[in-house]
Amino acid sequence: MLDFLVETKTVWENLKAVDKPIVLYGMGNGADRILDRCIAEGIPVSGVFASDSFVRGQTFRSYQVCKYADIVKQYKNFVIVIAFASESPSVLEDFYALAAKHETYAPHVAIFAGDDIVSFPWLQAHADKLQMVYDNLADARSREVFSDILNYKLSGKLKYLQNSTSQRQEDLRELFNFAENEVYVDLGAYDGDTIREFLQQTQGEYSKIFALEPDKKNFIKLQRFIAQEQLPNVTLLNSGIWCEPGEHNFFQRGGRMSSLSEQGKVSVEVDSLDNILGKGAVSYIKMDVEGAEEEALMGGCEHLAKYMPKLFVAGYHRDDDLWKLPQLLWNIAPYKIFLRRHPYVPCWEINFLAKK
């Protein structure tokens, strides 16, 4: 199929084959989905544990939630299935330390329920497109990351996440040249965290900032940040990004996971990048819009083709983004596209960095 794929079994096939007790590490929505899949696949789960500070005698889905030491005492030799997401350095260190001691998996599941995800049929269906993207990425490290991502999503093995991880700030410095007169567009600005990142890269010098954030609670935090920092020449828009102007249903969660969705309970204004920017040129766009990246790029075709600004585009919300987003970008303009993955378990924070 694809020469860079080395895994021959899925994480669920691997779990079915083990002859040791299987325990989940974590509680909550992620653990619910993984436990449901284990039940559907006929994979027995023997116990659940959590970080010591979270264990207070509670139960999860009829399992008594234990501390890691209790699981060690009870089973001694067991398989760990990581069932929650984290980017915390201390938690990631804990994950990798556990993987060094025990057979450990972190299953890949869809962020949006119902989305098609990496599987052997998925790989077969999209093999030509995946190969084309792999062959045309801008450097060897990008191809290595691409391979690791797909091997991880099949197998759930943490070694691929560990191998593919780099540091976001270092990648920005290495791949992009930031000048004093940058015009920055932050799509999915949240509370100002990526504006702060941009200011670090430019030493606080810039020409103009446009920032869009559709979630009302997040937008208040964003306004507060801009006011506290007394940043000049900033335009804030409480709206979402889309392929055309209009309104869209929205899941408003007051955090990072707010997203445009047909099942959303509220309606928000959306606009296209070309419409927002008009005739003005921008030099750098960050795009992390919870699964609407394809539509956002489509709505900025004219601007991207004309000016080719630097792009930082999230590519982890939907598995099809791995081939759809770079193909779309190359159809718009002759970008050099680099692929990097930043610290997270499971395989989130996949980012395409594109430049002339």
Side-chain angles (χ1 to χ4, degrees):
M1 191 185 295
L2 297 164
D3 290 342
F4 52 81
L5 289 177
V6 298
E7 293 296 329
T8 59
K9 293 182 180 179
T10 68
V11 60
W12 311 109
E13 290 170 327
N14 287 330
L15 289 171
K16 284 180 183 179
V18 303
D19 58 359
K20 296 174 282 190
I22 296 170
V23 296
L24 297 190
Y25 179 14
M27 305 173 286
N29 292 338
D32 265 323
R33 295 175 70 183
I34 290 171
L35 185 55
D36 286 344
R37 181 66 184 268
C38 286
I39 292 169
E41 296 284 347
I43 298 167
V45 173
S46 298
V48 175
F49 75 99
S51 302
D52 288 359
S53 59
F54 287 95
V55 179
R56 299 183 182 88
Q58 69 268 55
T59 60
F60 173 74
R61 297 275 293 267
S62 79
Y63 291 91
Q64 184 71 40
V65 179
C66 302
K67 295 182 178 181
Y68 169 70
D70 298 327
I71 295 290
V72 171
K73 188 180 299 182
Q74 185 173 358
Y75 297 114
K76 294 186 172 58
N77 194 12
F78 51 91
V79 175
I80 295 174
V81 176
I82 294 172
F84 69 102
S86 183
E87 62 181 334
S88 162
S90 62
V91 175
L92 297 183
E93 185 178 344
D94 178 45
F95 287 165
Y96 294 129
L98 288 172
K101 295 178 183 177
H102 307 276
E103 187 175 352
T104 301
Y105 299 93
H108 168 61
V109 296
I111 290 179
F112 298 104
D115 272 8
D116 200 11
I117 65 169
V118 173
S119 63
F120 287 110
W122 183 91
L123 290 163
Q124 190 168 21
H126 303 302
D128 290 346
K129 291 167 284 195
L130 291 165
Q131 188 69 57
M132 189 279 283
V133 171
Y134 177 85
D135 290 340
N136 287 281
L137 289 169
D139 65 353
R141 178 57 179 164
S142 296
R143 290 185 285 278
E144 184 180 22
V145 172
F146 193 82
S147 171
D148 283 337
I149 287 169
L150 290 176
N151 279 293
Y152 159 75
K153 289 191 173 190
L154 278 175
S155 70
K157 294 178 181 178
L158 268 69
K159 66 180 182 180
Y160 294 112
L161 297 183
Q162 200 164 16
N163 184 60
S164 63
T165 300
S166 56
Q167 296 303 313
R168 181 170 169 136
Q169 295 289 342
E170 292 175 8
D171 288 335
L172 284 168
R173 283 193 294 271
E174 177 187 346
L175 297 175
F176 290 158
N177 291 320
F178 289 98
E180 295 181 353
N181 59 344
E182 299 284 344
V183 179
Y184 173 47
V185 179
D186 192 338
L187 305 178
Y190 183 44
D191 63 358
D193 58 342
T194 41
I195 294 177
R196 188 180 294 109
E197 173 185 82
F198 168 73
L199 295 172
Q200 289 173 351
Q201 293 293 330
T202 63
Q203 286 77 53
E205 299 293 330
Y206 63 90
S207 178
K208 177 75 177 176
I209 295 174
F210 296 89
L212 276 72
E213 173 53 52
D215 187 288
K216 286 185 170 60
K217 291 183 179 179
N218 291 344
F219 189 72
I220 291 171
K221 297 174 188 175
L222 177 62
Q223 289 177 308
R224 187 180 302 130
F225 167 74
I226 298 300
Q228 287 174 346
E229 297 297 319
Q230 297 183 326
L231 298 178
N233 301 322
V234 177
T235 298
L236 302 180
L237 298 174
N238 186 200
S239 61
I241 196 73
W242 197 243
C243 53
E244 59 186 2
E247 292 191 353
H248 204 292
N249 288 0
F250 185 66
F251 270 129
Q252 187 163 275
R253 295 181 172 93
R256 293 182 184 275
M257 299 299 286
S258 299
S259 61
L260 298 173
S261 170
E262 292 297 337
Q263 288 75 46
K265 303 299 183 184
V266 300
S267 179
V268 297
E269 289 187 5
V270 295
D271 210 340
S272 71
L273 191 57
D274 284 334
N275 198 50
I276 290 167
L277 299 178
K279 302 298 182 182
V282 302
S283 59
Y284 176 46
I285 300 172
K286 179 233 102 183
M287 188 180 296
D288 189 343
V289 288
E290 302 303 323
E293 285 79 12
E294 182 182 2
E295 291 79 7
L297 290 172
M298 290 169 60
C301 285
E302 292 181 14
H303 198 93
L304 299 182
K306 184 175 182 180
Y307 298 109
M308 289 188 69
K310 299 182 289 289
L311 298 174
F312 187 101
V313 182
Y316 64 93
H317 297 104
R318 305 183 191 279
D319 282 5
D320 285 356
D321 287 346
L322 281 171
W323 58 267
K324 278 189 173 182
L325 299 184
Q327 280 197 340
L328 176 55
L329 268 177
W330 283 321
N331 287 337
I332 295 170
Y335 272 104
K336 294 178 183 177
I337 300 179
F338 300 82
L339 179 64
R340 297 294 186 265
R341 204 193 73 81
H342 300 125
Y344 226 114
V345 171
C347 197
W348 297 356
E349 283 302 317
I350 299 167
N351 295 299
F352 291 104
L353 287 76
K355 63 182 181 180
K356 293 181 184 179

